[in-house]
Amino acid sequence: MRVLITGARGFTARYLVDRLKQKYELHLTDLEAGKEGNWHQCDLTDFASVSKLIAGIRPAQIYNLAGSFTNSYEDDYRGNVLSAKNLFDSILREGIGCRLLLVGSAAEYGFVHPEDNPVKEDHQLSPVSINGLTKAFQTHLMRFYHIVYGIDTVMARTFNLLGKGISKRLFVGRLQDQIERYKRGEITRISLGNLNNKRDYIDIGMAIEYYMAVMERGQTGEIYNIGSGKSIRIYDLLEMILKENNLDISIVEEKAVEHNRFDVTDIYADITKIKEICEMS
């Protein structure tokens, strides 16, 4: 079976490729091609390029791991919405029976109250960031193409990932980067922002297993939260990661941050739906 993975040079894709490469005929695409495997250079924001890609491969499954979280509207709209639309339109144009998995974000839920936890997939989407807004647009796009055109599509709405090599735009990535710089003697302190909020973190390996379950057994048109089902205080997560690196919390300084009235103090996923389809295996 032919499986296409977009955003294949990214953090999540590296783990997914390792998990699938012995099982399927993998085709990989990104703005720049990699060195190993069946690579196809493609700009997902260009319909002609995407259409040519889909026509040439005719995949049975697409894991769309490409995306943007710069919080620049133009960039995130192109990376999260336009790219997904081009995939949908290319599938329609070629008339192939293909299942498309999209990756959503907990940022779509926006500001939630502590009593809203654990957050279910049908919770109102009220994003308070550009990234969350464009991911919510992607969700509505998915529902439109599924309802109107019958495209076989599912969504993994992901909370926060843990793993080596994650983007420095995210807390864990910034922390990993500073730890490496500290070990090299480039900095004498690790500087971080608010450490009191609580978030739902899931190991990348477990998230990949969930993605595969959604692709294989998820109900078409449905959304599945991908998380641990519990939250951890950022300070406690920090201590855990420092301990793994034989470092002490004393090297960390917490810098003052401007108050954000939309700051979410605690959010974690209701993972009932993903657990149910995992039990189907």
Side-chain angles (χ1 to χ4, degrees):
M1 181 172 69
R2 292 179 182 174
V3 175
L4 173 63
I5 299 175
T6 71
R9 290 173 62 89
F11 165 72
T12 301
R14 292 196 296 272
Y15 289 87
L16 181 63
V17 168
D18 283 343
R19 188 68 177 79
L20 297 182
K21 62 185 179 182
Q22 301 300 327
K23 189 176 181 181
Y24 301 119
E25 177 188 329
L26 293 187
H27 292 261
L28 313 175
T29 186
D30 212 314
L31 284 171
E32 296 180 7
K35 296 180 180 179
E36 297 181 2
N38 296 324
W39 278 92
H40 310 263
Q41 190 171 355
C42 180
D43 179 357
L44 293 182
T45 66
D46 178 69
F47 176 69
S49 296
V50 178
S51 184
K52 181 180 178 181
L53 176 74
I54 299 302
I57 300 172
R58 300 187 71 81
Q61 295 179 351
I62 301 174
Y63 286 87
N64 182 31
L65 304 184
S68 172
F69 48 97
T70 65
N71 273 320
S72 158
Y73 181 83
E74 290 75 14
D75 291 340
D76 287 359
Y77 180 85
R78 287 169 58 83
N80 298 329
V81 186
L82 182 58
S83 60
K85 181 180 184 297
N86 286 338
L87 286 169
F88 281 127
D89 287 340
S90 297
I91 291 170
L92 280 176
R93 179 174 178 174
E94 296 306 316
I96 60 175
C98 173
R99 166 161 281 207
L100 171 61
L101 180 140
L102 299 175
V103 178
S105 169
E108 296 175 62
Y109 294 124
F111 185 81
V112 300
H113 298 281
E115 59 269 23
D116 294 329
N117 290 305
V119 180
K120 295 180 180 291
E121 288 87 349
D122 60 1
H123 190 278
Q124 180 179 347
L125 302 185
S126 302
V128 293
S129 67
I130 295 299
N131 174 254
L133 178 65
T134 56
K135 285 291 189 179
F137 288 168
Q138 180 184 248
T139 293
H140 290 298
L141 193 72
M142 166 192 159
R143 286 172 171 155
F144 173 80
Y145 276 88
H146 173 67
I147 292 170
V148 176
Y149 298 109
I151 288 185
D152 183 8
T153 179
V154 285
M155 176 176 287
R157 183 174 284 154
T158 309
F159 278 62
N160 299 279
L161 297 173
L162 278 174
K164 290 290 186 181
I166 198 167
S167 171
K168 288 186 284 187
R169 289 196 177 102
L170 302 174
F171 170 78
V172 171
R174 290 195 300 274
L175 174 58
Q176 290 174 349
D177 177 63
Q178 290 194 64
I179 286 174
E180 292 304 314
R181 292 169 60 200
Y182 178 85
K183 288 181 175 180
R184 293 194 299 265
E186 296 174 6
I187 56 176
T188 59
R189 304 280 289 173
I190 290 176
S191 181
L192 301 167
N194 181 10
L195 301 174
N196 292 316
N197 288 340
K198 300 174 73 175
R199 295 289 184 267
D200 185 330
Y201 276 88
I202 181 172
D203 181 78
I204 181 61
M206 190 71 249
I208 291 301
E209 294 300 317
Y210 283 161
Y211 286 6
M212 293 168 59
V214 173
M215 176 64 89
E216 298 294 338
R217 299 183 294 280
Q219 183 177 339
T220 186
E222 287 295 310
I223 297 165
Y224 296 85
N225 280 338
I226 306 298
S228 66
K230 58 186 177 182
S231 60
I232 181 173
R233 190 167 63 122
I234 300 300
Y235 183 91
D236 297 329
L237 176 66
L238 167 64
E239 278 197 315
M240 181 182 75
I241 295 174
L242 288 173
K243 186 176 181 181
E244 291 172 352
N245 286 272
N246 298 313
L247 298 174
D248 188 79
I249 193 71
S250 61
I251 67 171
V252 175
E253 60 181 8
E254 186 175 356
K255 58 186 178 183
V257 294
E258 186 177 346
H259 174 70
N260 180 358
R261 65 190 181 95
F262 294 119
D263 197 18
V264 179
T265 59
D266 189 10
I267 181 172
Y268 56 97
D270 184 313
I271 57 173
T272 303
K273 285 179 66 176
I274 187 62
K275 287 291 189 181
E276 286 176 349
I277 63 170
C278 286
E279 290 170 0
M280 293 166 56
S281 60

